[in-house]
Amino acid sequence: MLPEDLRYMGTSSESLLAATPKLVRWLGLVFTVLGGYIVGAGVLLAHLALGAFAGRKPYAFLVAALGGGFTTGLMSVVNLVIDSDFKFVLLAITALWLAALICYGFKARRPSGVGLD
């Protein structure tokens, strides 16, 4: 477990391991699943960016907003709650996601042929 996890729970790694000896193995499985989820979300986001955004599909903004909100947005909120050491890194990633949505929104509202296309 990360130091902020132990701080949030008000315990030490030694006391957790003594109470739950299989915790390390379980956490390994949890993080394997989480890693797969992250890679899968990244693949879907890349597909969305290369396909739906480039093709200006009407559902692209909604999918990107929901996908980002449930992944990086939710992760950032939870990491703020537990006072994670990585909260600012996650907030930076979330800021990039929000900036991308804002840029997409501005471009979608601009009439075609106007600007620096």
Side-chain angles (χ1 to χ4, degrees):
M1 302 200 75
L2 296 172
E4 63 260 24
D5 300 325
L6 297 170
R7 275 195 312 266
Y8 181 78
M9 293 186 292
T11 190
S12 69
S13 60
E14 294 80 18
S15 62
L16 276 179
L17 290 175
T20 54
K22 293 184 180 181
L23 180 64
V24 172
R25 183 165 184 248
W26 177 78
L27 285 173
L29 296 171
V30 167
F31 283 113
T32 297
V33 170
L34 183 59
Y37 160 79
I38 291 168
V39 170
V43 168
L44 290 173
L45 184 58
H47 172 71
L48 178 66
L50 296 173
F53 270 120
R56 308 299 291 169
K57 302 290 184 189
Y59 59 84
F61 183 86
L62 178 63
V63 171
L66 290 172
F70 282 114
T71 56
T72 187
L74 185 59
M75 188 181 302
S76 293
V77 169
V78 169
N79 277 271
L80 283 171
V81 168
I82 67 169
D83 195 27
S84 169
D85 295 341
F86 303 101
K87 63 184 168 237
F88 295 113
V89 173
L90 291 168
L91 287 172
I93 293 168
T94 301
L96 285 173
W97 161 70
L98 285 171
L101 289 178
I102 290 168
C103 289
Y104 183 83
F106 282 142
K107 182 153 178 141
R109 294 183 198 279
R110 188 175 54 205
S112 62
V114 176
L116 302 171
D117 289 337

